[in-house]
């Protein structure tokens, strides 16, 4: 395993509950994952990232951790997990975990003790507990809102006749925020990362990495401007990552730290990155951007510039377990019934990030072209759905978390022999991996080819971007590598084709030889030019 260089790393995110179930309880598990490791290895990825797999009551499906030093029994055992690490490493695949430092589960022993060991007990200081406002504290201490909706404060036990106390939870009420000013909290998480690094885990994706500290005085949100607030992105957080980085660097090979950082600007994001803090951070503009050559080109160049300044590789992802699947965002086109165009756009998108410098993150199921699933409200599980105000039409994140379809002939598309934890739409058998595997024109086959091409051609993952711009509907990206000029052209238009001038076409996402002088709607091409 080489941990020194992480440039060009392709990581496959596994939402393990939905990956593969081995024992019929409807929830994915380690044994199921091991059975499917060939699928992951065949794709040609360098690493997997597992969503949190610690014991958890599941209020936020693993992002509410009750013990950071063990494996959720739904997922398996520590011994199985150790074997999983070995199985990944023997295939030259790194394994990244998710660490959740901003909050714990309300079933974590610390919170249970804080609640149960009498007013003013020692555990209370590990959380953020404040007197309420108004008569006898009947209103929350300030106006902060939970990311999932509703107030970010819930009642905390209070002595009789005393002002009502409240505890802070920036997410669900079953996810109390920790007080990072306490040494015990800091030491705990240093122990946590060491524990897993000692077990040969290659790195962590840090959940809500911009969280942790809250501004002293807990100022109302309404007193802040420009999206900077008292609940996120406080200066104290950087010292934590400097310490974590020292720990990560003390291992051989050094372990990786990747941040889920929502900062209010790219300048603020920059402060998390570099030799002494995080190795990289996700660029979330890619999960939200409109379908447009100019928007894509602008976001690519901004992310590349930022990472150049920080001296870290850029990170690219179109989908994850929190966002609408990008098939539904980009490939199912309102008003256009042409599925071929949607599919071509989808393939082109993948070849576009395959040609960008830095690291790519895939989200399980995107290689099958899975759309966002329709789920009846009665089957929904996401706390973000349940905390919405009545007027909201936000349905939460279950639609991107539906289990994987593996085989077209089996019950539940081969995911489970029992009842899947979220219903699998009946037509998902059409997406089954076994069908796509034997179809050369499938999305799955395309992903494999595109990644193999990236591996064979260093201009794709390493070469610097010399120029990137949009001309009308066409994105044009130029890279120089080893004395050769390479171009990536992508047509974001739905109806017009564009001439390709000069250069030699080396690959096109339609995989068609026809129209070789044109870029079809939705098509991408790689070209090279001799530099003399
Ligand atoms: C992150 C995770 C999300 C989770 C939240 C709270 O945003 O990606 O799934 O609900 O943190 O931990
Ligand atoms: Ca299971």
């Amino acid at each position: 395993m080489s941990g020194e260089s992480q440039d060009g790393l392709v990581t496959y995110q596994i939402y393990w509950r939905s990956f593969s179930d081995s024992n019929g309880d409807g929830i994915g598990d380690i044994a199921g994952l091991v059975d499917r490791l060939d699928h992951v290895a065949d794709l040609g990825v360098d690493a997997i990232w597992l969503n949190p797999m610690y014991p958890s009551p599941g209020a936020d499906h693993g992002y509410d951790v009750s013990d950071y030093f063990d494996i959720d029994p739904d997922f398996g055992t520590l011994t199985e997990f150790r074997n999983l690490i070995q199985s990944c490493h023997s295939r030259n695949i790194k394994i990244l975990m998710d660490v959740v430092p901003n909050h714990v589960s309300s079933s974590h022993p610390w919170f249970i003790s804080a609640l149960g060991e009498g007013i003013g007990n020692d555990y209370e200081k590990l959380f953020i507990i404040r007197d309420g406002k108004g008569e006898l504290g009947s209103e929350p201490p300030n106006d902060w809102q939970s990311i999932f909706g509703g107030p970010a404060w819930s009642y905390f036990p209070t002595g009789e006749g005393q002002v009502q106390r409240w505890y802070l939870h920036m997410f669900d009420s079953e996810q109390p925020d920790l007080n990072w000013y306490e040494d015990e909290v800091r030491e705990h998480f240093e122990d946590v990362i060491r524990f897993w690094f000692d077990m040969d885990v290659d790195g962590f994706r840090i959940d809500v990495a911009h969280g942790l500290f809250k501004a002293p005085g807990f100022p109302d949100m309404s007193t802040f401007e420009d999206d900077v607030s008292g609940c996120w992105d406080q200066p104290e957080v950087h010292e934590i990552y400097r310490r974590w980085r020292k720990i990560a660097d003390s291992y051989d090979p050094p372990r990786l730290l990747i941040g889920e950082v929502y900062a209010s600007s790219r300048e603020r994001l920059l402060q998390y990155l570099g030799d002494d803090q995080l190795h990289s951070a996700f660029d979330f503009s890619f999960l939200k951007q409109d379908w447009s050559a100019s928007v894509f080109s602008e976001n690519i160049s901004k992310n590349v510039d930022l990472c150049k300044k920080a001296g870290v590789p850029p990170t690219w992802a179109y989908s994850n377990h929190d966002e609408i699947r990008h098939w539904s965002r980009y490939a199912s086109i309102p008003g256009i019934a042409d599925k071929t165009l949607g599919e071509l756009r989808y393939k082109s998108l993948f070849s576009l990030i395959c040609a960008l410098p830095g690291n790519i993150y895939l989200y399980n199921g995107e290689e099958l072209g899975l759309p966002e699933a329709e789920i009846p409200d009665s089957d929904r599980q996401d706390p973000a759905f349940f905390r919405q105000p009545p007027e909201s039409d936000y349905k939460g994140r279950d639609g991107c978390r539906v289990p994987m379809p593996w085989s077209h002939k089996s019950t539940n598309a081969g995911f489970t022999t029992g009842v899947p934890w979220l219903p699998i739409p009946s037509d998902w058998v059409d997406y089954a991996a076994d069908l796509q595997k034997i179809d050369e024109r499938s999305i799955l086959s395309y992903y494999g080819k595109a990644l193999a091409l990236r591996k064979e051609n260093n201009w794709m993952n390493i070469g610097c971007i010399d120029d990137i711009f949009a001309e009308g509907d066409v994105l044009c990206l130029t890279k120089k590598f080893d004395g050769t000029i390479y171009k990536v052209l992508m047509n974001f238009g739905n109806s017009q084709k564009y001439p390709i001038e000069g250069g030699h076409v080396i690959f096109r996402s339609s995989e068609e030889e026809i129209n070789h002088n044109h870029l079809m709607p939705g098509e991408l091409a790689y070209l090279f030019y001799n530099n003399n």
Side-chain angles (χ1 to χ4, degrees), residues 248-410:
D249 283 347
S250 71
Y251 284 83
D252 181 21
R255 309 302 201 237
L256 302 175
L257 299 173
I258 296 116
E260 182 205 28
V261 185
Y262 276 99
S264 55
S265 67
R266 284 192 158 90
E267 284 61 44
R268 292 190 72 96
L269 177 61
L270 187 63
Q271 296 176 15
Y272 288 76
L273 301 171
D275 281 353
D276 68 337
Q277 291 187 61
L278 308 184
H279 291 89
S280 58
F282 291 98
D283 178 46
F284 291 113
S285 65
F286 251 59
L287 293 158
K288 312 267 186 200
Q289 64 199 340
D290 288 340
W291 178 262
S292 133
S294 60
V295 170
F296 271 68
S297 133
E298 201 173 302
N299 281 331
I300 292 171
S301 68
K302 282 188 180 155
N303 192 21
V304 167
D305 286 351
L306 169 90
C307 293
K308 210 178 273 170
K309 274 192 214 151
V312 303
T315 291
W316 313 99
Y318 289 124
S319 280
N320 67 24
H321 64 292
D322 291 330
E323 301 293 336
I324 294 182
R325 280 194 178 272
H326 74 277
W327 175 278
S328 299
R329 299 201 321 264
Y330 297 133
S332 80
I333 311 159
I336 297 184
D338 183 354
K339 194 162 177 256
T340 333
L341 174 60
E343 215 171 286
L344 187 55
R345 276 164 62 143
Y346 194 79
K347 289 175 173 176
S348 298
L349 275 178
F350 189 52
S351 288
L352 176 64
I353 51 170
C354 282
L356 298 180
N359 302 327
I360 300 179
Y361 282 76
L362 313 181
Y363 175 49
N364 62 208
E366 78 163 82
E367 76 281 21
L368 303 177
L370 294 185
E372 185 79 359
E374 294 288 333
I375 298 178
D377 286 356
S378 54
D379 284 323
R380 290 195 177 271
Q381 308 238 357
D382 183 5
F385 169 69
F386 295 107
R387 292 185 64 91
Q388 291 307 303
E391 66 279 11
S392 162
D393 52 14
Y394 177 61
K395 294 287 185 187
R397 303 163 296 177
D398 295 310
C400 65
R401 298 175 174 178
V402 168
M404 292 276 285
W406 291 106
S407 50
H408 69 292
K409 282 195 181 142
S410 316

Side-chain angles (χ1 to χ4, degrees), residues 15 49 51 60 63-64 98 100 103 147-148 171 175 205 207-208 210 260 262 320-322 382-383 397 401:
Y15 196 74
W49 151 35
N51 285 101
D60 189 18
Y63 286 97
D64 49 323
D98 212 313
V100 189
H103 43 264
I147 293 289
F148 293 161
F171 294 88
Q175 295 166 293
R205 175 259 192 193
D207 187 61
V208 197
H210 54 299
E260 182 205 28
Y262 276 99
N320 67 24
H321 64 292
D322 291 330
D382 183 5
R397 303 163 296 177
R401 298 175 174 178

Side-chain angles (χ1 to χ4, degrees), residues 12 52 72 102 119 150 156 172 181-182 191 198 200-201 206 208 252 315 327 334 382 416 438 457 488-489:
Y12 182 79
D72 193 306
N102 181 69
I119 310 294
F156 194 78
D172 192 62
Y181 287 104
E182 278 300 317
D191 290 347
D198 285 346
D200 269 357
V201 164
I206 305 166
V208 197
D252 181 21
T315 291
W327 175 278
D382 183 5
T416 179
I438 51 171
N457 293 282
V488 178
L489 301 177

